[in-house]
């Protein structure tokens, strides 16, 4: 079945440093979604990427979707303590486009030292 | 939008007992999902409903697990004869079926501990 892998598993940074997490799928994806889960919380949707090579920005967060639509990355510029949490990428198992069944990666846990 | 509501938040049960969890999705969402999450892992798909129809169930899910969504509104997830390996966070999520642009809205989850 489809596998979604994320690296690194953990990342500890000093506040103000940049952070990047990478996501790779074993299959071509119609789209990819990113979620953030704060400690003790539930996953919260951040963004969805659909087009090959797409880049989207949300303030200090930059999301990229690879040209082959098999990989993605999330980059945070100048991390803040509010960025702490686990970042998950997720791709639909149904390559037809519906996201009804998302496969999540194991996530990257980001901790920020103030 | 009151969000996805799950009940209970925590459940401690003894091995062999049955447990039932409830999920109330966002009212206008017609898709409902159950996921399971263990420590250090991402959410793992369990099952999915479109309205009242259960369209898919994970092959990893044993026959001890059953889910319903009567009338296409709230859903229940029942685990029979619980085992210690069932201990996990059970997350419910809902979404609108608007093509590919339909993010999942998760509830706070029910944390199950089987002793």
């Amino acid at each position: 079945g489809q596998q979604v892998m994320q690296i690194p598993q953990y990342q500890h940074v000093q506040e103000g440093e940049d952070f990047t997490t990478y996501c790779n799928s074993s299959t071509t994806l119609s789209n990819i979604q990113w979620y953030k889960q704060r400690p003790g919380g539930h996953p919260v949707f951040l963004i969805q990427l659909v087009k090959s090579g797409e880049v989207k920005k949300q303030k200090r967060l930059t999301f990229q979707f690879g040209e082959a639509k098999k990989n993605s990355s999330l980059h945070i510029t100048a991390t803040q303590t509010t960025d702490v949490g686990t970042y998950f990428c997720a791709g639909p198992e149904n390559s037809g486009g519906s996201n009804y069944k998302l496969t999540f990666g194991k996530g990257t846990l980001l901790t920020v030292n103030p | 939008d009151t969000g996805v509501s799950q009940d209970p938040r925590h459940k401690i049960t003894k091995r062999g007992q049955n447990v039932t969890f409830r999920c109330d999705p966002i009212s206008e969402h017609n898709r409902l999902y159950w996921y399971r999450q263990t420590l250090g892992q991402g959410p793992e798909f369990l099952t999915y409903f479109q309205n009242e129809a259960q369209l898919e169930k994970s092959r990893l899910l044993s026959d001890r697990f059953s889910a319903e969504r009567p009338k296409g509104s709230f859903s229940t997830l029942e685990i029979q004869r619980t085992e210690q390996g069932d201990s996990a966070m059970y997350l419910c999520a809902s979404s609108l079926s608007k093509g590919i642009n339909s993010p999942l809205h998760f509830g706070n989850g029910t944390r199950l501990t089987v002793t």
Side-chain angles (χ1 to χ4, degrees):
Chain A
Q2 179 194 53
Q3 292 186 353
V4 176
M5 294 147 285
Q6 280 186 257
I7 55 170
Q9 196 171 356
Y10 308 97
Q11 184 77 60
H12 178 74
V13 299
Q14 288 291 129
E15 190 171 22
E17 291 182 339
D18 292 355
F19 159 77
T20 304
T21 175
Y22 300 92
C23 177
N24 288 283
S25 170
S26 58
T27 60
T28 301
L29 300 171
S30 59
N31 66 89
I32 194 160
Q33 298 181 16
W34 285 90
Y35 291 78
K36 176 184 178 181
Q37 186 172 24
R38 295 180 186 273
H42 58 275
V44 174
F45 173 78
L46 293 177
I47 207 161
Q48 183 176 53
L49 304 171
V50 177
K51 299 177 183 177
S52 170
E54 188 171 14
V55 178
K56 286 188 175 180
K57 292 190 175 185
Q58 288 180 350
K59 296 182 180 178
R60 295 177 295 104
L61 277 61
T62 301
F63 303 84
Q64 292 189 348
F65 200 9
E67 294 290 340
K69 302 183 78 172
K70 293 184 72 174
N71 58 75
S72 181
S73 66
L74 158 59
H75 179 82
I76 302 178
T77 304
T79 54
Q80 299 176 359
T81 54
T82 53
D83 296 325
V84 164
T86 302
Y87 293 85
F88 294 100
C89 63
E93 186 152 322
N94 179 355
S95 62
S98 168
N99 74 338
Y100 77 87
K101 183 179 175 182
L102 284 178
T103 299
F104 283 77
K106 290 187 175 183
T108 297
L109 172 60
L110 171 65
T111 55
V112 179
N113 196 31
Chain B
D1 181 355
T2 57
V4 177
S5 177
Q6 290 189 247
D7 183 69
R9 290 294 304 275
H10 304 273
K11 179 69 177 179
I12 300 174
T13 192
K14 292 186 177 181
R15 188 177 54 188
Q17 297 294 306
N18 299 344
V19 293
T20 300
F21 310 140
R22 177 181 170 119
C23 171
D24 287 273
I26 294 171
S27 56
E28 62 267 28
H29 286 184
N30 58 343
R31 291 181 175 173
L32 186 146
Y33 313 76
W34 285 98
Y35 279 80
R36 177 171 62 190
Q37 187 177 28
T38 53
L39 196 61
Q41 303 294 315
E44 175 190 31
F45 173 83
L46 294 180
T47 190
Y48 153 73
F49 291 85
Q50 176 133 341
N51 300 312
E52 66 275 10
Q54 186 175 19
L55 297 187
E56 184 158 352
K57 186 175 175 180
S58 169
R59 291 186 296 272
L60 302 174
L61 216 57
S62 80
D63 291 341
R64 296 183 297 105
F65 288 72
S66 62
E68 294 181 343
R69 192 184 182 196
K71 302 179 183 178
S73 55
F74 72 92
S75 175
T76 58
L77 176 68
E78 180 183 17
I79 309 175
Q80 296 182 327
R81 304 180 303 282
T82 52
E83 301 173 356
Q84 287 187 323
D86 297 332
S87 295
M89 176 72 83
Y90 289 83
L91 293 165
C92 176
S94 68
S95 74
L96 278 172
S97 56
K98 286 173 62 178
I100 60 174
N101 296 319
S102 47
L104 299 186
H105 297 257
F106 284 91
N108 287 323
T110 293
R111 182 169 296 283
L112 173 65
T113 303
V114 182
T115 62

